[in-house]
Amino acid sequence: MRRPLAYTVLLISIIAYRSGNTLKNIILNKHDFPTGYYNAGNFNKDCTSFKVDGFKYCEDAAFWDQYDAEKHLTERHLIVTCDPGRKSWNTVMGPLHDPKPHGGLWIYPSSTAEHPKGDSEAAPKRITLSNYPEGHDFHPLGLDIWPSYGRNESNLYIVNHARHRTVIEHFLLNPSRPTVARHIRTISSPYFLSPNSIALTSPNAFYVSNDHLITRRLPIVGQFLPVIESILGLPLGFVSHVTLSPDKKPIVEEHAFAALFIPFPNGLALLHSSSDSPVLAVASSSLAQVRLYARDPATNKLSGIKHTIPVPFAADNVRFSDDGTLFVAGHPHFPTLTAVAANKPGGPQRAPSWAMSIPAGRPSQGTTSPTTFDTKAPISAGGLVPAVQGLHPLETVFQSNGDGFSSSSTVLRDDVSGALYVSGLYAEDGVLVCRPRQK
């Protein structure tokens, strides 16, 4: 009797040690956020969301960069994945009721030659899916797109949580017809257990995160075991590197496990060059952290964790800006988010948002971590999570109690226009854009 009890106490102690910050900051404590806070301006005056039919419940966003023959950036568009039917079909959080309504793909001009600081009058436009297989579901989640050089077509890859299994859709996007994505092929693999996010290493190769080993698609046990895997922070997820065959079968030419034993690996982002070395950022939602893995660009192997960055929310997606700043968005109160996803009558329709930045590409020269940071934010990360030695501390770029903007899942900053974009997993307005005041 004593031995099972001792094992139980040991297990609980390990879980509490590993997931203590997650339990304290994300599950047990609900912060008193403002309606909206924007660090580079006034939320009420400088931030706006889009009122476009069908443009809601937007999970991921990425910049589509277009370069001329001299490799000068000429245009930058925001590509966004949205799924208005997410409350009826969500293979990560549930439920799995109705997969019939299709999600959508959208484009928005962030900075162009005509409007280098952005066009405040522009609106997102839906991208038509050309040559898409008839009867094939489309529930987009993570995406990544290769830049266009000299106006050539760009390879676009999107994780699709389809009816029977999760696959990755390959499209081509042409700068001459930016609102039409031509479907090339559907990519599947026995290694695609639960694909979530993509980070391209070439036009035909990418890292992909698999967020769970036990998925909601499994009969009976899928109702509760994935939740247990998430809450306990079980290290059953992994990141793979996939190389595709350009024009022959099998489509997946090579699969390699890049990083194993990650609790709920979610968003991925590549920093191709820095003052130190190329890195892959991986968000771990269960442990409320972002891991920076050292990467060998010649082999795409990940040699180990350079830094582990704790954040005061369940980290969702990550993106690097041009100057190497890492942006991460997530969910600071997981019970509210799950209640929104459950979509029960009388339940909450909005969940809090929190987005932060850290100059991960520009390591701090200090030898000790500061004890006080993020002091300007209404709810400061200082005191909730420790700073990371060798890196500049976290800074809040956006916060909301859900009324200003709900359920932040991705945050990006366009260093050309200065605009900050936040997408919302269950946001009725899809994406929020905040523009810094012109001095």
Side-chain angles (χ1 to χ4, degrees):
M1 183 68 182
R2 292 181 179 177
R3 182 170 293 179
L5 179 60
Y7 287 152
T8 302
V9 171
L10 177 61
L11 178 61
I12 294 174
S13 300
I14 293 173
I15 293 171
Y17 174 76
R18 294 177 66 252
S19 306
N21 282 337
T22 302
L23 292 171
K24 179 184 69 174
N25 295 331
I26 301 168
I27 297 178
L28 300 179
N29 187 17
K30 188 175 183 180
H31 302 291
D32 187 18
F33 291 113
T35 300
Y37 164 77
Y38 169 47
N39 73 321
N42 183 296
F43 172 78
N44 294 318
K45 296 179 180 180
D46 302 325
C47 300
T48 183
S49 55
F50 299 102
K51 312 290 185 182
V52 180
D53 186 38
F55 187 66
K56 69 177 186 176
Y57 302 172
C58 301
E59 202 273 348
D60 200 7
F63 288 128
W64 177 28
D65 289 343
Q66 300 175 23
Y67 297 89
D68 60 20
E70 285 73 37
K71 297 185 178 181
H72 297 138
L73 181 65
T74 58
E75 294 188 24
R76 170 170 283 169
H77 296 270
L78 188 71
I79 307 294
V80 188
T81 59
C82 307
D83 192 352
R86 195 180 309 282
K87 289 186 178 180
S88 296
W89 186 260
N90 186 333
T91 64
V92 180
M93 299 184 62
L96 300 180
H97 293 329
D98 185 9
K100 292 180 182 178
H102 277 206
L105 190 63
W106 296 76
I107 186 170
Y108 176 79
S110 179
S111 50
T112 64
E114 185 178 358
H115 298 283
K117 294 300 180 182
D119 184 359
S120 59
E121 302 299 320
K125 294 182 179 180
R126 184 188 292 270
I127 295 176
T128 301
L129 307 184
S130 169
N131 200 39
Y132 198 74
E134 186 176 354
H136 185 39
D137 303 307
F138 188 61
H139 294 282
L141 207 70
L143 84 153
D144 205 5
I145 183 168
W146 197 253
S148 170
Y149 296 94
R151 301 192 66 76
N152 67 334
E153 291 182 310
S154 289
N155 285 276
L156 167 66
Y157 296 89
I158 300 174
V159 173
N160 178 13
H161 284 206
R163 181 184 314 245
H164 299 295
R165 64 179 304 169
T166 300
V167 294
I168 295 175
E169 308 294 350
H170 179 193
F171 297 90
L172 285 179
L173 207 56
N174 193 320
S176 300
R177 301 180 66 201
T179 58
V180 177
R182 180 162 56 94
H183 186 262
I184 303 301
R185 52 188 174 176
T186 296
I187 305 162
S188 63
S189 167
Y191 297 107
F192 291 173
L193 300 181
S194 51
N196 188 303
S197 182
I198 294 174
L200 287 171
T201 58
S202 79
N204 289 293
F206 51 79
Y207 293 104
V208 57
S209 61
N210 283 263
D211 54 51
H212 283 79
L213 180 65
I214 307 168
T215 73
R216 287 185 177 267
R217 296 181 186 273
L218 296 174
I220 303 177
V221 297
Q223 297 297 316
F224 59 92
L225 285 185
V227 179
I228 294 175
E229 181 181 335
S230 297
I231 292 177
L232 297 185
L234 300 180
L236 302 180
F238 58 95
V239 174
S240 298
H241 186 267
V242 176
T243 303
L244 304 177
S245 172
D247 53 9
K248 62 182 180 181
K249 295 184 177 181
I251 298 176
V252 176
E253 190 173 273
E254 181 182 358
H255 174 278
F257 292 109
L260 299 171
F261 310 120
I262 307 172
F264 199 157
N266 202 323
L268 303 177
L270 268 177
L271 181 62
H272 292 278
S273 61
S274 70
S275 59
D276 193 353
S277 63
V279 297
L280 175 72
V282 181
S284 172
S285 297
S286 290
L287 294 190
Q289 62 183 215
V290 178
R291 300 180 179 184
L292 301 183
Y293 289 85
R295 170 180 173 257
D296 183 347
T299 64
N300 293 307
K301 291 183 178 180
L302 305 179
S303 57
I305 302 176
K306 291 166 58 69
H307 295 286
T308 298
I309 306 169
V311 293
F313 48 80
D316 199 324
N317 286 318
V318 285
R319 293 288 178 187
F320 283 105
S321 64
D322 296 337
D323 68 356
T325 300
L326 177 66
F327 286 83
V328 53
H331 313 287
H333 193 243
F334 198 69
T336 302
L337 181 69
T338 56
V340 171
N343 198 31
K344 293 181 179 180
Q349 299 300 308
R350 296 176 294 275
S353 297
W354 200 337
M356 307 197 77
S357 68
I358 179 170
R362 294 181 283 116
S364 171
Q365 300 301 315
T367 57
T368 58
S369 301
T371 57
T372 303
F373 61 96
D374 195 37
T375 56
K376 296 180 181 180
I379 303 297
S380 172
L384 297 178
V385 294
V388 179
Q389 185 170 341
L391 289 179
H392 290 280
L394 292 160
E395 180 184 3
T396 294
V397 296
F398 179 75
Q399 282 180 346
S400 174
N401 61 7
D403 292 336
F405 191 75
S406 172
S407 56
S408 57
S409 54
T410 305
V411 59
L412 311 87
R413 186 185 67 200
D414 181 357
D415 287 349
V416 177
S417 68
L420 186 82
Y421 299 94
V422 185
S423 67
L425 187 66
Y426 289 105
E428 294 293 332
D429 296 338
V431 171
L432 181 82
V433 56
C434 298
R435 303 184 189 279
R437 292 281 183 91
Q438 299 297 321
K439 296 180 180 180

